[in-house]
Amino acid sequence: MNTPTFDEIYENLFPQVYRFVRLRVPSSDVDDVTAEVMAKVWRAFSGFRGENPKAWALRIAYNQIADYYRAHKRSPSAIPLIEVENGVDASEDWLTFLTVSQALDKLSPTHLAVLQLRLVEGFSSAETAGILGTTQQAVDSLLYRAKKRFRKAYESATAGGGQP
Amino acid sequence: MSKDRKELGQEELNLLRTYIGQEINVEAKERIRELTLAKLAQIPVETGKEYAEERFGNPLARRAKGIVQWSRSCWWRWQWKAVVPLLLIVVLAGLSFGVSWPPNGRQQLSTAQSTQNRADIPQAGANSKPVSGEGIKMGSAPQHAQAENAPFAAQAAGAGISSADGVSGQGEQSSQKRTDVSTVSPKVAAPDSQEQSYASAIDPQAVASDTSGLSGTAPGAQDTANTAIGADANKTLQGAGQTQEATNKAPQESNALQSTDTASLAQRNTVRLWPYILTAGALIGFLWFRLRKGKNK
């Protein structure tokens, strides 16, 4: 089995890592934190013996984000992605995205992580539990509550016209 | 999974996926790749000078970058919060338990030892009880001389002198016994009668017994001196004077030493608790702080 090159690892893992980081770290620090995560992934990849490198890389990203907030003495929160969106037609989708952003902003970081990992990235409950450092049952329970809260928050934001 | 989507609603789920799973900007991807490679390069300031200059511009920025990289890889950066408090606790505990530095403390220690040795004297005194008994006998010799008849004044004077000498003789005898005792406690050894007097004075119990004998000696010697004629009488007076002097000195030293002994014994019997409490408190505080920090992680 050939050892993968840096470019192969980067192309394979970067999208998930970047999406995970940019939803949790202020945009000014996204590049630095993501690069730090990718450097750690590359350094540790030779010792990786698991089956899912994406889940493993997101676990590293999760720890790196925790270190980031610890170093900056702030508490983590959801970061609105409106500012980094480039390909969306602002006239039609701006309000919709703003509504989603407002709804996600009302979720806790754990609920947001569970929604992202389970529904967007497609990880299983076990893989999500491995990334977040919790149990599979806890992930299922968190997912149920996260969906409930998101739906409620989204409906509330839609009823309010999507205005902040 | 389909159940999850139905619960949330397909439209909401699509929005979520569109919002969170946005396509990644290619520019951002390349920018972060460069940054990652720069982090992986781990450029030391000395060896990677050209590369650092190319990457990070002017020498000041390069040096700053090098220092940051060094400090990030430095073990100290991660461990000082654990090591420094532990070292402080060890030093404080050492100080509170009486370890002193610099070596000047050794002198204090030897002084303390000498005090300790001095405090041991009562034990030696206890061992030398028979010697103090000899002291009584020594004092009784002139009294015996006083008991002689007046017509035999000269003889009594002779006896007085001889009793004064007898004091010495007894002293020698006592010192002989004292030397025997000194095998138990060498610090109490007395080579002659004069030193025997001081040795008896140092020994509080012995002095307590000697005092009566010695004070008995003084009048006896004095009376003998009154009836004595010539240099022998002077001798007797001198002997009596010395004996009286020893008698006066003995209770004072005895009292002082007894109070010192009581204090040292009390000090010896009292366990100093505060160093233990201080050290245990510091360790508990340190562990609590570290565990609380770990829990927050």
Side-chain angles (χ1 to χ4, degrees):
Chain A
M1 182 181 167
N2 292 332
T3 306
T5 63
F6 173 79
D7 284 339
E8 288 171 351
I9 292 172
Y10 190 83
E11 292 295 329
N12 191 25
L13 301 179
F14 175 77
Q16 280 82 15
V17 170
Y18 183 71
R19 280 197 291 265
F20 193 77
V21 171
R22 75 173 174 180
L23 206 57
R24 288 162 183 79
V25 175
S27 58
S28 58
D29 293 327
V30 168
D31 286 6
D32 190 54
V33 173
T34 309
E36 193 68 43
V37 172
M38 294 311 296
K40 283 187 177 177
V41 166
W42 170 245
R43 282 196 203 105
F45 196 82
S46 58
F48 173 65
R49 296 288 178 272
E51 293 179 358
N52 191 343
K54 288 181 181 175
W56 172 71
L58 287 183
R59 177 67 192 169
I60 293 175
Y62 186 80
N63 291 334
Q64 184 64 35
I65 290 166
D67 284 345
Y68 169 82
Y69 279 105
R70 197 177 299 128
H72 289 75
K73 300 188 188 303
R74 292 191 305 199
S75 53
S77 59
I79 306 297
L81 300 181
I82 301 296
E83 56 187 349
V84 297
E85 178 57 37
N86 292 325
V88 177
D89 184 354
S91 59
E92 289 184 5
D93 294 332
W94 178 259
L95 284 179
T96 307
F97 269 78
L98 191 62
T99 308
V100 174
S101 175
Q102 284 176 350
L104 288 177
D105 196 36
K106 291 180 180 172
L107 299 183
S108 71
T110 315
H111 286 159
L112 181 63
V114 170
L115 279 183
Q116 181 181 15
L117 295 172
R118 289 283 282 118
L119 303 183
V120 179
E121 303 295 348
F123 287 108
S124 68
S125 292
E127 287 169 337
T128 306
I131 293 168
L132 300 180
T134 184
T135 63
Q136 195 171 336
Q137 289 77 15
V139 168
D140 292 337
S141 173
L142 281 170
L143 179 63
Y144 174 77
R145 279 191 234 122
K147 283 189 292 190
K148 197 174 169 183
R149 285 192 185 177
F150 175 74
R151 190 168 56 239
K152 195 174 175 182
Y154 181 73
E155 286 170 359
S156 170
T158 309
Q163 296 301 318
Chain B
M1 192 153 181
S2 60
K3 191 184 172 188
D4 291 340
R5 286 175 182 171
K6 279 177 186 173
E7 279 178 5
L8 198 59
Q10 193 63 41
E11 185 191 356
E12 292 161 337
L13 184 64
N14 286 339
L15 278 174
L16 204 59
R17 296 179 93 179
T18 308
Y19 180 77
I20 296 177
Q22 295 169 20
E23 285 299 317
I24 293 165
N25 191 340
V26 178
E27 192 182 331
K29 187 178 175 181
E30 290 307 313
R31 190 174 63 242
I32 293 172
R33 182 201 298 269
E34 285 291 308
L35 197 57
T36 306
L37 287 170
K39 283 179 184 292
L40 285 171
Q42 289 282 344
I43 312 147
V45 177
E46 292 80 11
T47 56
K49 195 177 282 184
E50 291 177 5
Y51 183 76
E53 207 164 305
E54 183 186 340
R55 292 289 310 176
F56 307 115
N58 64 54
L60 188 64
R62 185 181 71 237
R63 181 158 290 279
K65 190 78 179 176
I67 290 169
V68 167
Q69 284 173 349
W70 172 82
S71 66
R72 277 183 181 172
S73 63
C74 186
W75 172 86
W76 179 252
R77 181 170 176 258
W78 303 105
Q79 296 302 322
W80 72 269
K81 284 178 184 173
V83 171
V84 170
L86 268 181
L87 280 175
L88 279 175
I89 287 170
V90 168
V91 169
L92 280 175
L95 287 175
S96 62
F97 277 107
V99 179
S100 60
W101 187 263
N104 184 28
R106 278 188 185 176
Q107 291 176 359
Q108 294 172 0
L109 212 78
S110 62
T111 310
Q113 276 179 348
S114 67
T115 310
Q116 184 80 11
N117 292 337
R118 226 177 138 73
D120 289 335
I121 288 174
Q123 291 179 350
N127 291 335
S128 62
K129 267 184 180 174
V131 178
S132 62
E134 291 298 324
I136 293 169
K137 198 184 279 182
M138 177 178 71
S140 68
Q143 277 183 341
H144 180 68
Q146 188 191 9
E148 298 291 334
N149 289 328
F152 300 99
Q155 192 183 347
I161 293 162
S162 68
S163 69
D165 289 338
V167 170
S168 300
Q170 291 292 341
E172 280 171 8
Q173 192 180 344
S174 301
S175 75
Q176 184 61 38
K177 295 216 172 185
R178 171 65 72 180
T179 311
D180 293 338
V181 171
S182 72
T183 55
V184 179
S185 175
K187 295 175 188 64
V188 198
D192 56 21
S193 65
Q194 187 68 28
E195 287 187 25
Q196 169 61 29
S197 300
Y198 285 115
S200 300
I202 286 170
D203 187 340
Q205 292 182 7
V207 168
S209 307
D210 285 349
T211 308
S212 60
L214 285 169
S215 58
T217 303
Q222 192 69 36
D223 289 348
T224 309
N226 288 338
T227 52
I229 302 168
D232 288 344
N234 288 335
K235 260 189 173 181
T236 309
L237 274 172
Q238 278 179 357
Q242 285 176 358
T243 315
Q244 183 68 40
E245 213 171 290
T247 309
N248 292 337
K249 269 186 183 178
Q252 291 174 2
E253 289 194 23
S254 169
N255 288 337
L257 283 168
Q258 272 179 347
S259 63
T260 310
D261 295 340
T262 310
S264 62
L265 273 173
Q267 191 180 2
R268 197 186 298 170
N269 290 335
T270 307
V271 180
R272 293 195 314 161
L273 281 178
W274 68 268
Y276 294 95
I277 294 170
L278 187 71
T279 309
L283 278 173
I284 289 168
F286 171 73
L287 287 174
W288 176 79
F289 181 75
R290 296 298 300 176
L291 289 176
R292 191 179 61 116
K293 200 177 176 187
K295 194 178 176 184
N296 287 341
K297 285 179 183 178

